[in-house]
Amino acid sequence: MLKILTNNRLFFIFFLVWVLFGAILQLISSPTDLMFLINQHHSLELDAFFRFVTTLGEDTIWLILLLALLYRHFVKKVKQTAIVKFLLISWILKVLVSLFLKNIFNHPRPIEVYQNSGRAINLVEGVTLHHWQSFPSGHTTTAFAFACFCAIVFRKTSLSIILLVMAMLVGFSRMYLFQHFPRDVFAGSILGVAVVVVMAKFFYKKEEISA
């Protein structure tokens, strides 16, 4: 476990900053204040940007990476067996854990809570709002798990930081689009990283899961 953390120290340092900042923000502000602070600072450009960014938290990114690894394995003849197993198990596990928690808690989403509050809500055209299963944020879990997986496997600092920033933007987009509360995003980010780190502990062999 220590080797995983030290080999990717910059990624985990920035992730720790994200976690600490999120925790402090939630301690000093109410969910309602945070939701409307984010939602009310909007524009047509931001609406379009975050509508796109949120799609980066869908499982399509895992499928694309899987196909790329399989291409390298079967066409380029670069051995990727352990990495593919690591990816598949991490991917499936994060889906199962996220769905399990969503069904166990079944918390209402922001639109369900505030739709009759009388407060102005910025709704982005083309975005379908869900009303339940808010905790945790599945998109955020997916994005952070993907970023962590790539950091561990590819060990490229610049790529790791870019993907981590992408994951943060995905998490922010879920609040901007009024799909999730801060707690959902906060929990989703920790869950995504935790699942991949736990799996990496069992798979970790430098010559096998480092591409």
Side-chain angles (χ1 to χ4, degrees):
M1 181 71 78
L2 182 60
K3 194 172 183 180
I4 295 170
L5 298 177
T6 55
N7 284 342
N8 304 279
R9 61 175 64 87
L10 197 57
F11 174 89
F12 288 106
I13 287 172
F14 275 94
F15 175 68
L16 180 59
V17 171
W18 159 270
V19 170
L20 291 175
F21 178 75
I24 292 170
L25 203 59
Q26 291 179 84
L27 285 174
I28 64 176
S29 302
S30 71
T32 299
D33 289 341
L34 287 173
M35 283 302 302
F36 282 97
L37 176 64
I38 294 169
N39 182 258
Q40 294 309 305
H41 287 79
H42 61 85
S43 67
L44 291 177
E45 292 76 17
L46 286 175
D47 287 356
F49 176 72
F50 285 116
R51 186 173 58 191
F52 165 74
V53 165
T54 206
T55 63
L56 300 177
E58 296 174 357
D59 282 314
T60 307
I61 58 175
W62 286 89
L63 179 59
I64 291 172
L65 181 56
L66 174 61
L67 292 175
L69 292 174
L70 290 176
Y71 174 80
R72 288 189 69 193
H73 183 80
F74 290 108
V75 178
K76 297 295 185 179
K77 305 301 181 182
V78 179
K79 188 178 180 182
Q80 304 281 269
T81 305
I83 300 176
V84 169
K85 289 180 181 178
F86 179 30
L87 183 151
L88 286 173
I89 294 176
S90 298
W91 183 6
I92 293 170
L93 185 60
K94 72 90 189 166
V95 170
L96 293 177
V97 173
S98 178
L99 289 176
F100 175 77
L101 292 175
K102 281 178 176 292
N103 282 280
I104 287 295
F105 290 103
N106 198 29
H107 284 170
R109 298 205 184 204
I111 192 62
E112 179 67 23
V113 174
Y114 299 117
Q115 61 185 339
N116 298 316
S117 67
R119 301 185 65 162
I121 301 172
N122 176 53
L123 301 180
V124 178
E125 184 179 355
V127 175
T128 301
L129 290 176
H130 301 286
H131 289 249
W132 296 93
Q133 296 190 337
S134 186
F135 182 88
S137 166
H139 281 69
T140 307
T141 302
T142 296
F144 273 87
F146 183 81
C148 186
F149 176 88
C150 290
I152 292 172
V153 169
F154 298 109
R155 286 209 207 163
K156 294 183 179 179
T157 302
S158 57
L159 176 64
S160 300
I161 299 306
I162 289 171
L163 291 177
L164 182 58
V165 171
M166 179 202 80
M168 293 175 180
L169 287 172
V170 169
F172 188 87
S173 77
R174 303 311 287 164
M175 296 181 287
Y176 181 91
L177 298 174
F178 225 66
Q179 294 280 33
H180 285 284
F181 289 101
R183 66 172 183 241
D184 308 329
V185 170
F186 182 72
S189 65
I190 295 173
L191 175 62
V193 170
V195 166
V196 173
V197 169
V198 169
M199 287 299 97
K201 181 182 177 181
F202 292 101
F203 276 92
Y204 196 83
K205 288 181 182 178
K206 183 178 178 181
E207 71 277 10
E208 290 186 0
I209 67 167
S210 180

